[in-house]
Amino acid sequence: MINQLEALTQHVNHEQYYYWLHHDLFSAQWWLIVILSALFLFMFYLLIDRERMVFILLVFSISFVVVGIVDELGKFFDVWSYPHQFLIFTHRFNSVDFAVIPVILTLVYQFFSKWKFYWIAALIAAAFIAFIGVPIFTFFHLYDLNHWNTWKAFITVYPIGLFIKVISDFIYSNQRK
């Protein structure tokens, strides 16, 4: 059974690579992924707190990993999918996982470090991502909602932001000891 699954996986990988190489690479959606990722990373570069750069980069890394894990779960259970990829061999390099959501959540953390304000800022960021970002990404066919909707996205992104804050604050408090 495991050999059959491995053979199927290799076949799917080959077909995905062929499709990406001959139909997706350098397409309009591929360029949109490149441009969006570059814009968000450039915005992050401009806005990052230079005095806390190392720690804010750590927060970005935490965001990248947490968003990537949740994204892998969603793709595995077929609740959403990405019809276009920047790089086919890793699904983390789509504009949502690689730049947009991690940059937004990291900047929220950077600018609203106190819990009192963070709750509201994270709520607004989650609403922006779910109710504005998701429809835009869906419209441009960068994101497909298979068994998902904007409300579920909102209910998922908001706790992700809170979880990132808890982890980052924990690391920060232990760093200062």
Side-chain angles (χ1 to χ4, degrees), residues 90-147:
T90 177
H91 294 284
R92 290 203 200 217
F93 286 109
N94 60 60
S95 55
V96 175
D97 294 342
F98 179 62
V100 175
I101 294 176
V103 165
I104 290 171
L105 295 177
T106 303
L107 290 176
V108 166
Y109 182 87
Q110 174 182 297
F111 288 116
F112 303 96
S113 57
K114 295 190 188 313
W115 271 105
K116 180 177 169 181
F117 301 110
Y118 186 85
W119 290 99
I120 298 166
L123 188 71
I124 292 168
F128 174 80
I129 290 165
F131 302 119
I132 296 172
V134 168
I136 289 172
F137 276 71
T138 303
F139 177 79
F140 286 109
H141 305 291
L142 297 177
Y143 185 58
D144 283 341
L145 303 174
N146 303 336
H147 307 287

Short mmCIF file of all heavy atoms in Angstrom, two decimals, residues 90-147:
data_model
loop_
_atom_site.label_atom_id
_atom_site.label_comp_id
_atom_site.label_asym_id
_atom_site.label_seq_id
_atom_site.Cartn_x
_atom_site.Cartn_y
_atom_site.Cartn_z
N THR A 90 7.26 23.86 -3.52
CA THR A 90 6.87 24.24 -2.17
C THR A 90 5.66 25.17 -2.26
O THR A 90 5.71 26.18 -2.93
CB THR A 90 8.00 24.92 -1.38
OG1 THR A 90 7.49 25.33 -0.12
CG2 THR A 90 8.60 26.09 -2.10
N HIS A 91 4.61 24.79 -1.60
CA HIS A 91 3.39 25.58 -1.65
C HIS A 91 3.44 26.79 -0.72
O HIS A 91 2.54 27.61 -0.73
CB HIS A 91 2.18 24.71 -1.33
CG HIS A 91 1.93 23.67 -2.37
ND1 HIS A 91 1.36 23.97 -3.57
CD2 HIS A 91 2.22 22.35 -2.41
CE1 HIS A 91 1.28 22.88 -4.31
NE2 HIS A 91 1.80 21.87 -3.63
N ARG A 92 4.47 26.91 0.07
CA ARG A 92 4.58 28.06 0.97
C ARG A 92 4.95 29.33 0.23
O ARG A 92 4.82 30.41 0.77
CB ARG A 92 5.62 27.81 2.04
CG ARG A 92 5.11 26.78 2.98
CD ARG A 92 5.78 26.89 4.26
NE ARG A 92 5.54 25.59 4.85
CZ ARG A 92 5.32 25.41 6.11
NH1 ARG A 92 5.36 26.35 6.88
NH2 ARG A 92 5.09 24.23 6.58
N PHE A 93 5.41 29.22 -0.98
CA PHE A 93 5.79 30.40 -1.72
C PHE A 93 4.67 30.88 -2.63
O PHE A 93 4.87 31.18 -3.79
CB PHE A 93 7.08 30.17 -2.52
CG PHE A 93 8.29 30.13 -1.64
CD1 PHE A 93 8.94 28.94 -1.41
CD2 PHE A 93 8.75 31.26 -1.02
CE1 PHE A 93 10.05 28.88 -0.59
CE2 PHE A 93 9.86 31.22 -0.18
CZ PHE A 93 10.51 30.03 0.03
N ASN A 94 3.46 30.93 -2.09
CA ASN A 94 2.39 31.66 -2.74
C ASN A 94 2.31 32.99 -2.01
O ASN A 94 2.81 33.14 -0.91
CB ASN A 94 1.08 30.88 -2.72
CG ASN A 94 0.61 30.59 -1.32
OD1 ASN A 94 0.39 31.50 -0.54
ND2 ASN A 94 0.49 29.32 -0.98
N SER A 95 1.70 33.97 -2.60
CA SER A 95 1.76 35.30 -2.01
C SER A 95 1.04 35.39 -0.67
O SER A 95 1.40 36.20 0.17
CB SER A 95 1.21 36.34 -2.98
OG SER A 95 -0.07 35.99 -3.39
N VAL A 96 0.04 34.56 -0.44
CA VAL A 96 -0.69 34.60 0.82
C VAL A 96 0.20 34.14 1.98
O VAL A 96 0.35 34.83 2.98
CB VAL A 96 -1.97 33.74 0.74
CG1 VAL A 96 -2.66 33.68 2.09
CG2 VAL A 96 -2.91 34.29 -0.30
N ASP A 97 0.79 32.95 1.84
CA ASP A 97 1.59 32.38 2.93
C ASP A 97 2.95 33.05 3.06
O ASP A 97 3.45 33.23 4.15
CB ASP A 97 1.86 30.89 2.69
CG ASP A 97 0.61 30.08 2.76
OD1 ASP A 97 -0.38 30.57 3.31
OD2 ASP A 97 0.62 28.95 2.27
N PHE A 98 3.54 33.38 1.94
CA PHE A 98 4.91 33.86 1.95
C PHE A 98 5.01 35.30 2.42
O PHE A 98 5.91 35.65 3.16
CB PHE A 98 5.53 33.71 0.56
CG PHE A 98 6.93 34.20 0.47
CD1 PHE A 98 7.93 33.62 1.22
CD2 PHE A 98 7.25 35.24 -0.36
CE1 PHE A 98 9.24 34.05 1.14
CE2 PHE A 98 8.57 35.69 -0.46
CZ PHE A 98 9.55 35.11 0.30
N ALA A 99 4.08 36.13 1.99
CA ALA A 99 4.24 37.54 2.28
C ALA A 99 3.01 38.19 2.91
O ALA A 99 3.11 38.75 4.00
CB ALA A 99 4.63 38.30 1.01
N VAL A 100 1.87 38.13 2.27
CA VAL A 100 0.74 38.97 2.66
C VAL A 100 0.34 38.77 4.13
O VAL A 100 0.40 39.71 4.92
CB VAL A 100 -0.47 38.74 1.72
CG1 VAL A 100 -1.68 39.51 2.20
CG2 VAL A 100 -0.11 39.15 0.29
N ILE A 101 -0.07 37.59 4.49
CA ILE A 101 -0.56 37.38 5.86
C ILE A 101 0.56 37.50 6.90
O ILE A 101 0.39 38.21 7.90
CB ILE A 101 -1.34 36.05 5.99
CG1 ILE A 101 -2.62 36.13 5.14
CG2 ILE A 101 -1.69 35.75 7.44
CD1 ILE A 101 -3.42 34.85 5.09
N PRO A 102 1.71 36.87 6.70
CA PRO A 102 2.78 37.06 7.70
C PRO A 102 3.21 38.52 7.87
O PRO A 102 3.45 38.97 8.99
CB PRO A 102 3.93 36.20 7.17
CG PRO A 102 3.25 35.14 6.37
CD PRO A 102 2.08 35.83 5.73
N VAL A 103 3.28 39.27 6.79
CA VAL A 103 3.67 40.69 6.90
C VAL A 103 2.60 41.47 7.67
O VAL A 103 2.93 42.24 8.59
CB VAL A 103 3.92 41.32 5.51
CG1 VAL A 103 3.96 42.84 5.59
CG2 VAL A 103 5.21 40.79 4.91
N ILE A 104 1.34 41.28 7.33
CA ILE A 104 0.27 41.99 8.03
C ILE A 104 0.28 41.66 9.52
O ILE A 104 0.25 42.57 10.37
CB ILE A 104 -1.11 41.67 7.41
CG1 ILE A 104 -1.21 42.29 6.01
CG2 ILE A 104 -2.24 42.17 8.30
CD1 ILE A 104 -2.44 41.86 5.23
N LEU A 105 0.35 40.38 9.86
CA LEU A 105 0.32 39.99 11.27
C LEU A 105 1.56 40.47 12.03
O LEU A 105 1.48 40.86 13.20
CB LEU A 105 0.16 38.48 11.40
CG LEU A 105 -1.18 37.92 10.88
CD1 LEU A 105 -1.20 36.40 10.99
CD2 LEU A 105 -2.36 38.55 11.60
N THR A 106 2.70 40.48 11.36
CA THR A 106 3.93 40.96 12.00
C THR A 106 3.86 42.46 12.24
O THR A 106 4.25 42.95 13.31
CB THR A 106 5.16 40.61 11.14
OG1 THR A 106 5.20 39.20 10.94
CG2 THR A 106 6.45 41.08 11.80
N LEU A 107 3.35 43.21 11.28
CA LEU A 107 3.25 44.66 11.46
C LEU A 107 2.21 45.01 12.53
O LEU A 107 2.41 45.97 13.29
CB LEU A 107 2.92 45.35 10.13
CG LEU A 107 4.06 45.34 9.12
CD1 LEU A 107 3.62 45.95 7.79
CD2 LEU A 107 5.30 46.05 9.66
N VAL A 108 1.16 44.24 12.62
CA VAL A 108 0.19 44.46 13.71
C VAL A 108 0.89 44.24 15.05
O VAL A 108 0.74 45.05 15.97
CB VAL A 108 -1.04 43.52 13.56
CG1 VAL A 108 -1.86 43.49 14.83
CG2 VAL A 108 -1.90 43.95 12.38
N TYR A 109 1.69 43.19 15.14
CA TYR A 109 2.43 42.94 16.37
C TYR A 109 3.40 44.09 16.67
O TYR A 109 3.50 44.54 17.81
CB TYR A 109 3.20 41.62 16.29
CG TYR A 109 3.94 41.31 17.57
CD1 TYR A 109 3.31 40.64 18.60
CD2 TYR A 109 5.25 41.73 17.75
CE1 TYR A 109 3.97 40.39 19.79
CE2 TYR A 109 5.91 41.48 18.93
CZ TYR A 109 5.27 40.81 19.96
OH TYR A 109 5.93 40.57 21.13
N GLN A 110 4.09 44.54 15.66
CA GLN A 110 5.09 45.60 15.86
C GLN A 110 4.44 46.90 16.34
O GLN A 110 4.94 47.55 17.26
CB GLN A 110 5.85 45.86 14.56
CG GLN A 110 6.80 47.04 14.64
CD GLN A 110 7.50 47.30 13.34
OE1 GLN A 110 8.24 46.46 12.87
NE2 GLN A 110 7.27 48.46 12.76
N PHE A 111 3.34 47.30 15.72
CA PHE A 111 2.74 48.60 16.02
C PHE A 111 1.79 48.59 17.22
O PHE A 111 1.50 49.65 17.78
CB PHE A 111 2.01 49.14 14.79
CG PHE A 111 2.94 49.59 13.70
CD1 PHE A 111 2.94 48.94 12.48
CD2 PHE A 111 3.84 50.62 13.89
CE1 PHE A 111 3.80 49.33 11.47
CE2 PHE A 111 4.71 51.02 12.89
CZ PHE A 111 4.68 50.37 11.68
N PHE A 112 1.31 47.43 17.59
CA PHE A 112 0.34 47.34 18.69
C PHE A 112 0.81 46.27 19.67
O PHE A 112 0.24 45.19 19.76
CB PHE A 112 -1.06 47.00 18.15
CG PHE A 112 -1.55 48.00 17.15
CD1 PHE A 112 -1.39 47.75 15.79
CD2 PHE A 112 -2.13 49.18 17.55
CE1 PHE A 112 -1.83 48.68 14.86
CE2 PHE A 112 -2.57 50.11 16.63
CZ PHE A 112 -2.42 49.86 15.27
N SER A 113 1.85 46.58 20.41
CA SER A 113 2.46 45.58 21.27
C SER A 113 1.68 45.34 22.56
O SER A 113 1.78 44.28 23.15
CB SER A 113 3.90 45.95 21.58
OG SER A 113 3.94 47.23 22.18
N LYS A 114 0.90 46.30 23.01
CA LYS A 114 0.12 46.11 24.23
C LYS A 114 -1.17 45.37 23.90
O LYS A 114 -1.85 45.68 22.93
CB LYS A 114 -0.19 47.45 24.87
CG LYS A 114 1.04 48.18 25.36
CD LYS A 114 0.63 49.37 26.19
CE LYS A 114 1.74 50.28 26.58
NZ LYS A 114 2.92 49.80 27.10
N TRP A 115 -1.51 44.40 24.75
CA TRP A 115 -2.69 43.57 24.50
C TRP A 115 -3.96 44.40 24.32
O TRP A 115 -4.81 44.06 23.51
CB TRP A 115 -2.89 42.58 25.65
CG TRP A 115 -2.16 41.29 25.43
CD1 TRP A 115 -1.02 40.89 26.05
CD2 TRP A 115 -2.51 40.25 24.52
NE1 TRP A 115 -0.64 39.66 25.59
CE2 TRP A 115 -1.54 39.24 24.63
CE3 TRP A 115 -3.55 40.07 23.60
CZ2 TRP A 115 -1.58 38.07 23.89
CZ3 TRP A 115 -3.59 38.91 22.85
CH2 TRP A 115 -2.61 37.92 23.00
N LYS A 116 -4.08 45.46 25.06
CA LYS A 116 -5.28 46.29 25.01
C LYS A 116 -5.58 46.75 23.58
O LYS A 116 -6.73 46.75 23.14
CB LYS A 116 -5.08 47.49 25.93
CG LYS A 116 -6.20 48.45 26.02
CD LYS A 116 -5.83 49.53 27.03
CE LYS A 116 -6.79 50.67 27.01
NZ LYS A 116 -6.41 51.72 27.96
N PHE A 117 -4.55 47.13 22.86
CA PHE A 117 -4.71 47.60 21.48
C PHE A 117 -4.57 46.47 20.47
O PHE A 117 -5.14 46.53 19.38
CB PHE A 117 -3.70 48.71 21.18
CG PHE A 117 -3.82 49.87 22.10
CD1 PHE A 117 -2.85 50.12 23.06
CD2 PHE A 117 -4.92 50.71 22.04
CE1 PHE A 117 -2.98 51.20 23.92
CE2 PHE A 117 -5.05 51.80 22.90
CZ PHE A 117 -4.07 52.04 23.85
N TYR A 118 -3.80 45.47 20.84
CA TYR A 118 -3.55 44.36 19.91
C TYR A 118 -4.84 43.62 19.57
O TYR A 118 -5.05 43.24 18.42
CB TYR A 118 -2.51 43.40 20.49
CG TYR A 118 -2.12 42.33 19.51
CD1 TYR A 118 -1.12 42.57 18.58
CD2 TYR A 118 -2.77 41.10 19.48
CE1 TYR A 118 -0.77 41.60 17.65
CE2 TYR A 118 -2.44 40.13 18.56
CZ TYR A 118 -1.43 40.38 17.65
OH TYR A 118 -1.10 39.43 16.73
N TRP A 119 -5.71 43.40 20.55
CA TRP A 119 -6.98 42.69 20.31
C TRP A 119 -7.74 43.34 19.14
O TRP A 119 -8.20 42.65 18.25
CB TRP A 119 -7.88 42.74 21.54
CG TRP A 119 -7.45 41.93 22.70
CD1 TRP A 119 -6.78 42.38 23.80
CD2 TRP A 119 -7.65 40.53 22.90
NE1 TRP A 119 -6.55 41.34 24.67
CE2 TRP A 119 -7.08 40.19 24.14
CE3 TRP A 119 -8.25 39.53 22.15
CZ2 TRP A 119 -7.10 38.91 24.65
CZ3 TRP A 119 -8.27 38.24 22.66
CH2 TRP A 119 -7.69 37.96 23.90
N ILE A 120 -7.84 44.65 19.22
CA ILE A 120 -8.60 45.39 18.21
C ILE A 120 -7.87 45.40 16.87
O ILE A 120 -8.47 45.17 15.82
CB ILE A 120 -8.88 46.82 18.71
CG1 ILE A 120 -9.73 46.76 19.97
CG2 ILE A 120 -9.56 47.65 17.63
CD1 ILE A 120 -9.80 48.05 20.75
N ALA A 121 -6.57 45.67 16.90
CA ALA A 121 -5.80 45.71 15.66
C ALA A 121 -5.79 44.35 14.96
O ALA A 121 -5.93 44.27 13.73
CB ALA A 121 -4.37 46.16 15.94
N ALA A 122 -5.66 43.28 15.73
CA ALA A 122 -5.69 41.93 15.15
C ALA A 122 -7.06 41.62 14.58
O ALA A 122 -7.18 40.96 13.53
CB ALA A 122 -5.28 40.90 16.20
N LEU A 123 -8.11 42.09 15.25
CA LEU A 123 -9.47 41.90 14.75
C LEU A 123 -9.67 42.62 13.41
O LEU A 123 -10.21 42.06 12.46
CB LEU A 123 -10.47 42.41 15.79
CG LEU A 123 -11.93 42.13 15.54
CD1 LEU A 123 -12.23 40.65 15.73
CD2 LEU A 123 -12.79 42.97 16.49
N ILE A 124 -9.20 43.85 13.33
CA ILE A 124 -9.30 44.63 12.09
C ILE A 124 -8.46 43.98 10.99
O ILE A 124 -8.91 43.87 9.84
CB ILE A 124 -8.88 46.09 12.34
CG1 ILE A 124 -9.90 46.78 13.24
CG2 ILE A 124 -8.71 46.85 11.02
CD1 ILE A 124 -9.46 48.12 13.79
N ALA A 125 -7.26 43.53 11.33
CA ALA A 125 -6.40 42.86 10.33
C ALA A 125 -7.05 41.58 9.82
O ALA A 125 -7.04 41.31 8.61
CB ALA A 125 -5.03 42.57 10.93
N ALA A 126 -7.62 40.79 10.73
CA ALA A 126 -8.28 39.54 10.33
C ALA A 126 -9.48 39.84 9.44
O ALA A 126 -9.72 39.14 8.44
CB ALA A 126 -8.72 38.75 11.56
N ALA A 127 -10.24 40.89 9.77
CA ALA A 127 -11.38 41.28 8.93
C ALA A 127 -10.89 41.74 7.56
O ALA A 127 -11.49 41.38 6.53
CB ALA A 127 -12.17 42.38 9.62
N PHE A 128 -9.82 42.50 7.52
CA PHE A 128 -9.26 42.95 6.24
C PHE A 128 -8.83 41.75 5.39
O PHE A 128 -9.15 41.67 4.20
CB PHE A 128 -8.07 43.89 6.49
CG PHE A 128 -7.35 44.28 5.23
CD1 PHE A 128 -7.85 45.27 4.42
CD2 PHE A 128 -6.18 43.63 4.86
CE1 PHE A 128 -7.19 45.63 3.25
CE2 PHE A 128 -5.51 43.96 3.69
CZ PHE A 128 -6.03 44.98 2.88
N ILE A 129 -8.11 40.84 6.00
CA ILE A 129 -7.64 39.66 5.28
C ILE A 129 -8.82 38.83 4.77
O ILE A 129 -8.85 38.43 3.61
CB ILE A 129 -6.71 38.81 6.17
CG1 ILE A 129 -5.38 39.54 6.41
CG2 ILE A 129 -6.45 37.43 5.57
CD1 ILE A 129 -4.54 38.98 7.54
N ALA A 130 -9.79 38.58 5.65
CA ALA A 130 -10.90 37.68 5.30
C ALA A 130 -11.90 38.31 4.35
O ALA A 130 -12.34 37.65 3.39
CB ALA A 130 -11.61 37.23 6.57
N PHE A 131 -12.28 39.55 4.60
CA PHE A 131 -13.39 40.14 3.85
C PHE A 131 -12.96 41.00 2.67
O PHE A 131 -13.79 41.35 1.83
CB PHE A 131 -14.30 40.92 4.79
CG PHE A 131 -14.86 40.07 5.89
CD1 PHE A 131 -14.59 40.37 7.22
CD2 PHE A 131 -15.63 38.95 5.61
CE1 PHE A 131 -15.10 39.59 8.24
CE2 PHE A 131 -16.15 38.16 6.62
CZ PHE A 131 -15.88 38.47 7.94
N ILE A 132 -11.69 41.34 2.62
CA ILE A 132 -11.18 42.10 1.47
C ILE A 132 -10.14 41.27 0.72
O ILE A 132 -10.24 41.09 -0.50
CB ILE A 132 -10.59 43.46 1.92
CG1 ILE A 132 -11.71 44.33 2.51
CG2 ILE A 132 -9.92 44.17 0.75
CD1 ILE A 132 -11.25 45.59 3.16
N GLY A 133 -9.15 40.75 1.44
CA GLY A 133 -8.07 39.99 0.80
C GLY A 133 -8.54 38.70 0.14
O GLY A 133 -8.21 38.43 -1.02
N VAL A 134 -9.31 37.90 0.86
CA VAL A 134 -9.77 36.62 0.31
C VAL A 134 -10.60 36.82 -0.97
O VAL A 134 -10.33 36.16 -1.98
CB VAL A 134 -10.53 35.79 1.37
CG1 VAL A 134 -11.26 34.62 0.73
CG2 VAL A 134 -9.57 35.30 2.44
N PRO A 135 -11.58 37.74 -0.99
CA PRO A 135 -12.31 37.93 -2.25
C PRO A 135 -11.43 38.42 -3.40
O PRO A 135 -11.62 38.02 -4.54
CB PRO A 135 -13.37 38.98 -1.89
CG PRO A 135 -13.59 38.81 -0.43
CD PRO A 135 -12.23 38.45 0.12
N ILE A 136 -10.45 39.27 -3.10
CA ILE A 136 -9.55 39.75 -4.16
C ILE A 136 -8.71 38.59 -4.70
O ILE A 136 -8.60 38.40 -5.91
CB ILE A 136 -8.66 40.90 -3.65
CG1 ILE A 136 -9.50 42.16 -3.44
CG2 ILE A 136 -7.50 41.17 -4.62
CD1 ILE A 136 -8.75 43.29 -2.74
N PHE A 137 -8.14 37.80 -3.79
CA PHE A 137 -7.33 36.66 -4.23
C PHE A 137 -8.17 35.63 -4.98
O PHE A 137 -7.71 35.01 -5.92
CB PHE A 137 -6.62 36.02 -3.03
CG PHE A 137 -5.35 36.71 -2.67
CD1 PHE A 137 -5.36 37.95 -2.07
CD2 PHE A 137 -4.13 36.11 -2.92
CE1 PHE A 137 -4.19 38.60 -1.75
CE2 PHE A 137 -2.95 36.74 -2.60
CZ PHE A 137 -2.97 38.00 -2.01
N THR A 138 -9.43 35.48 -4.57
CA THR A 138 -10.34 34.56 -5.26
C THR A 138 -10.68 35.11 -6.65
O THR A 138 -10.69 34.37 -7.62
CB THR A 138 -11.62 34.36 -4.44
OG1 THR A 138 -11.26 33.87 -3.14
CG2 THR A 138 -12.55 33.36 -5.09
N PHE A 139 -10.93 36.40 -6.73
CA PHE A 139 -11.27 37.03 -8.02
C PHE A 139 -10.15 36.84 -9.03
O PHE A 139 -10.40 36.58 -10.21
CB PHE A 139 -11.55 38.52 -7.82
CG PHE A 139 -11.83 39.25 -9.10
CD1 PHE A 139 -13.07 39.16 -9.70
CD2 PHE A 139 -10.84 40.01 -9.71
CE1 PHE A 139 -13.33 39.83 -10.89
CE2 PHE A 139 -11.09 40.68 -10.90
CZ PHE A 139 -12.34 40.59 -11.49
N PHE A 140 -8.91 36.96 -8.59
CA PHE A 140 -7.76 36.83 -9.50
C PHE A 140 -7.29 35.38 -9.63
O PHE A 140 -6.23 35.12 -10.19
CB PHE A 140 -6.61 37.73 -9.05
CG PHE A 140 -6.86 39.18 -9.33
CD1 PHE A 140 -7.11 40.06 -8.29
CD2 PHE A 140 -6.86 39.65 -10.63
CE1 PHE A 140 -7.35 41.40 -8.56
CE2 PHE A 140 -7.10 40.99 -10.90
CZ PHE A 140 -7.36 41.87 -9.86
N HIS A 141 -8.05 34.44 -9.09
CA HIS A 141 -7.77 33.00 -9.18
C HIS A 141 -6.41 32.62 -8.58
O HIS A 141 -5.74 31.71 -9.06
CB HIS A 141 -7.86 32.52 -10.64
CG HIS A 141 -9.16 32.83 -11.27
ND1 HIS A 141 -10.34 32.21 -10.90
CD2 HIS A 141 -9.50 33.74 -12.22
CE1 HIS A 141 -11.33 32.71 -11.61
NE2 HIS A 141 -10.86 33.64 -12.42
N LEU A 142 -6.04 33.32 -7.52
CA LEU A 142 -4.84 32.95 -6.78
C LEU A 142 -5.19 32.03 -5.62
O LEU A 142 -4.31 31.43 -5.01
CB LEU A 142 -4.14 34.20 -6.24
CG LEU A 142 -3.63 35.18 -7.29
CD1 LEU A 142 -3.02 36.40 -6.60
CD2 LEU A 142 -2.63 34.53 -8.21
N TYR A 143 -6.47 31.93 -5.33
CA TYR A 143 -6.95 31.21 -4.16
C TYR A 143 -8.33 30.67 -4.50
O TYR A 143 -9.18 31.41 -5.03
CB TYR A 143 -7.03 32.23 -3.01
CG TYR A 143 -7.38 31.75 -1.64
CD1 TYR A 143 -6.63 30.79 -1.00
CD2 TYR A 143 -8.45 32.31 -0.96
CE1 TYR A 143 -6.94 30.39 0.29
CE2 TYR A 143 -8.77 31.93 0.33
CZ TYR A 143 -8.01 30.97 0.95
OH TYR A 143 -8.32 30.58 2.22
N ASP A 144 -8.58 29.41 -4.25
CA ASP A 144 -9.89 28.80 -4.48
C ASP A 144 -10.48 28.36 -3.15
O ASP A 144 -9.80 27.69 -2.36
CB ASP A 144 -9.79 27.58 -5.40
CG ASP A 144 -9.63 27.97 -6.86
OD1 ASP A 144 -9.94 29.12 -7.21
OD2 ASP A 144 -9.19 27.11 -7.64
N LEU A 145 -11.71 28.73 -2.91
CA LEU A 145 -12.42 28.33 -1.70
C LEU A 145 -13.22 27.08 -2.02
O LEU A 145 -14.32 27.17 -2.56
CB LEU A 145 -13.35 29.45 -1.23
CG LEU A 145 -12.69 30.80 -0.96
CD1 LEU A 145 -13.74 31.85 -0.65
CD2 LEU A 145 -11.69 30.68 0.16
N ASN A 146 -12.68 25.92 -1.71
CA ASN A 146 -13.36 24.67 -2.02
C ASN A 146 -14.50 24.39 -1.04
O ASN A 146 -15.63 24.16 -1.44
CB ASN A 146 -12.37 23.51 -2.02
CG ASN A 146 -11.23 23.75 -3.00
OD1 ASN A 146 -11.36 24.50 -3.95
ND2 ASN A 146 -10.10 23.13 -2.75
N HIS A 147 -14.18 24.38 0.22
CA HIS A 147 -15.17 24.16 1.28
C HIS A 147 -14.92 25.21 2.37
O HIS A 147 -14.76 24.86 3.54
CB HIS A 147 -15.04 22.74 1.87
CG HIS A 147 -15.09 21.68 0.82
ND1 HIS A 147 -16.25 21.34 0.17
CD2 HIS A 147 -14.12 20.91 0.29
CE1 HIS A 147 -15.98 20.39 -0.72
NE2 HIS A 147 -14.71 20.11 -0.66
#
